[in-house]
């Protein structure tokens, strides 16, 4: 698959600048400093481009999963579902469409594997788990699918708030050592076990789940960074000590191409920088 480090192109929803102009201004300044110049997806219905846009399998193959998550199946959200194929910008490429319900934020790509949370099964109850894994393997053209548990309080059930690709045999996970929340500590044990059983190593990055004012926000989840090639756009949360520590940790992992972005405004809506972006290799 196309991992984050292989991408070189960034697209953002046309709703982002209109809905969150203050955040957008800061974000674009950080992108300019990183010499990254995004293009706009025209005709979107919300800002969460990662979830409704097709998943890139290789340079010329994309899969358009059905964007119909359970958390949007309420009357007030009926006009919030973007058809990613309708706004797909690469006219010379025709993504493969499937009726499998899967958000892009729930796909963490390795070279020959992908990580998904168990939400894939509850979103598609008519397909047996074994068959589902086989189908997803074929669609994503990978050798194996690694299933991890859904994090506590994560209404989206996405993997990108829990795990990110670092190297072929290593992923990044949240450091829950500072939380007193038993649910997060229990989840951490189950997550590490799932990764260990899959033969993956893991390193931790800072995480501050206890600063969340409610269970729908993404405050403190630095792991939902945006990576394009070797460049990291890192969300920060106006917590100077922890933000500085997070920046230092990410520079230790990735080098000096780490650009902080104040992200409280969008984090309050349940997602951060990976969620609002769609990246690909062109």
């Amino acid at each position: 698959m196309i991992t984050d480090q292989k991408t070189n192109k960034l697209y953002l929803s046309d709703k982002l600048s209109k809905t969150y102009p203050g955040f957008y201004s800061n974000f674009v300044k950080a992108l300019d400093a990183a010499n990254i110049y995004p293009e706009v997806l025209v005709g979107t219905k919300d800002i969460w481009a990662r979830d409704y846009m097709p998943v890139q399998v290789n340079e010329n193959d994309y899969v358009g999963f059905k964007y119909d998550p359970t958390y949007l199946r309420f009357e007030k959200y009926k006009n919030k579902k973007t058809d990613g194929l309708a706004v797909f910008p690469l006219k010379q490429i025709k993504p493969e469409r499937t009726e499998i319900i899967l958000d892009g934020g729930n796909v963490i790509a390795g070279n020959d594997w992908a990580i998904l949370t168990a939400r894939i099964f509850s979103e598609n109850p008519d397909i047996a788990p074994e068959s589902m894994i086989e189908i997803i393997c074929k669609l994503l053209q990978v050798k194996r699918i690694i299933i991890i548990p859904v994090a506590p309080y994560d209404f989206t059930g996405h993997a990108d708030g829990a795990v990110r690709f670092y190297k072929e045999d290593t992923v990044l996970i949240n450091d829950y050592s500072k939380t007193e929340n038993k649910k997060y500590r229990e989840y951490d044990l189950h997550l590490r076990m799932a990764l260990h059983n899959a033969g993956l190593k893991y390193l931790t990055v800072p995480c501050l789940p206890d600063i969340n004012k409610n269970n729908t926000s993404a405050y403190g989840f630095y792991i939902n960074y945006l990576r394009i090639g070797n460049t990291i756009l890192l969300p920060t949360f106006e917590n100077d000590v922890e933000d500085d520590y997070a920046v230092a940790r990410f520079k230790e992992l990735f080098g000096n191409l780490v650009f902080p972005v104040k992200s409280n405004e969008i984090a309050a809506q349940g997602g951060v920088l990976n969620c609002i972006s769609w990246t690909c290799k062109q």
Side-chain angles (χ1 to χ4, degrees):
M1 293 190 69
I2 300 297
T3 62
D4 292 339
Q5 69 185 48
K6 296 177 183 177
T7 60
N8 58 11
K9 191 68 178 179
L10 170 64
Y11 290 87
L12 302 172
S13 161
D14 55 354
K15 295 289 186 185
L16 187 60
S17 61
K18 302 171 186 175
T19 311
Y20 301 102
F23 163 79
Y24 184 78
S25 176
N26 289 330
F27 188 30
V28 169
K29 287 178 182 177
L31 290 170
D32 285 346
N35 294 315
I36 294 172
Y37 306 101
E39 293 191 24
V40 175
L41 299 169
V42 178
T44 65
K45 297 180 180 180
D46 67 34
I47 67 171
W48 312 112
R50 180 72 57 181
D51 295 333
Y52 49 73
M53 292 303 293
V55 175
Q56 187 173 22
V57 176
N58 57 51
E59 200 155 341
N60 296 304
D61 292 334
Y62 295 76
V63 179
F65 290 95
K66 186 175 182 180
Y67 184 53
D68 187 29
T70 52
Y71 59 86
L72 289 184
R73 294 176 195 172
F74 299 95
E75 185 66 19
K76 64 180 179 178
Y77 296 129
K78 68 178 183 179
N79 295 321
K80 295 292 186 180
K81 297 177 185 177
T82 300
D83 179 355
L85 297 186
V87 299
F88 187 72
L90 309 178
K91 302 304 181 183
Q92 72 276 20
I93 294 176
K94 299 296 182 183
E96 178 180 359
R97 185 186 287 272
T98 174
E99 290 300 302
I100 297 291
I101 297 172
L102 175 61
D103 296 354
N106 197 22
V107 180
I108 302 301
N111 290 325
D112 62 1
W113 51 258
I115 297 176
L116 287 67
T117 73
R119 181 64 60 86
I120 184 66
F121 303 130
S122 60
E123 294 278 29
N124 300 275
D126 294 335
I127 303 175
E130 297 82 2
S131 298
M132 175 61 67
I133 290 174
E134 182 178 348
I135 292 169
I136 299 295
C137 273
K138 289 181 179 178
L139 287 170
L140 298 181
Q141 300 177 28
V142 293
K143 294 181 179 178
R144 58 185 177 135
I145 297 295
I146 301 164
I147 301 297
I148 62 172
V150 175
Y153 315 113
D154 182 1
F155 68 94
T156 68
H158 291 171
D160 66 353
V163 176
R164 299 295 297 275
F165 176 87
Y166 182 59
K167 295 180 181 178
E168 184 51 35
D169 64 345
T170 307
V171 295
L172 302 179
I173 63 173
N174 291 314
D175 180 359
Y176 289 113
S177 64
K178 293 183 179 180
T179 183
E180 296 180 359
N181 188 307
K182 291 182 179 179
K183 288 187 177 180
Y184 279 122
R185 288 184 175 275
E186 291 174 0
Y187 166 76
D188 189 38
L189 291 175
H190 291 299
L191 174 62
R192 290 174 187 243
M193 184 179 297
L195 296 173
H196 173 77
N197 290 342
L200 292 179
K201 303 173 186 176
Y202 47 81
L203 300 171
T204 60
V205 295
C207 180
L208 299 170
D210 295 347
I211 71 172
N212 278 307
K213 299 177 182 178
N214 59 65
N215 292 335
T216 62
S217 72
Y219 291 119
F221 284 87
Y222 298 96
I223 200 167
N224 197 265
Y225 58 85
L226 166 61
R227 182 175 186 179
I228 306 173
N230 293 320
T231 302
I232 302 293
L233 282 300
L234 183 68
T236 57
F237 304 100
E238 299 180 22
N239 186 320
D240 292 343
V241 173
E242 294 297 339
D243 286 346
D244 289 347
Y245 175 65
V247 170
R249 174 58 171 156
F250 275 82
K251 286 186 176 182
E252 178 185 0
L253 290 166
F254 293 104
N256 288 326
L257 294 178
V258 176
F259 298 85
V261 181
K262 293 181 180 179
S263 301
N264 280 24
E265 192 175 8
I266 59 167
Q269 308 306 313
V272 208
L273 300 187
N274 192 65
C275 300
I276 63 168
S277 61
W278 184 62
T279 53
C280 59
K281 180 181 179 181
Q282 293 182 14

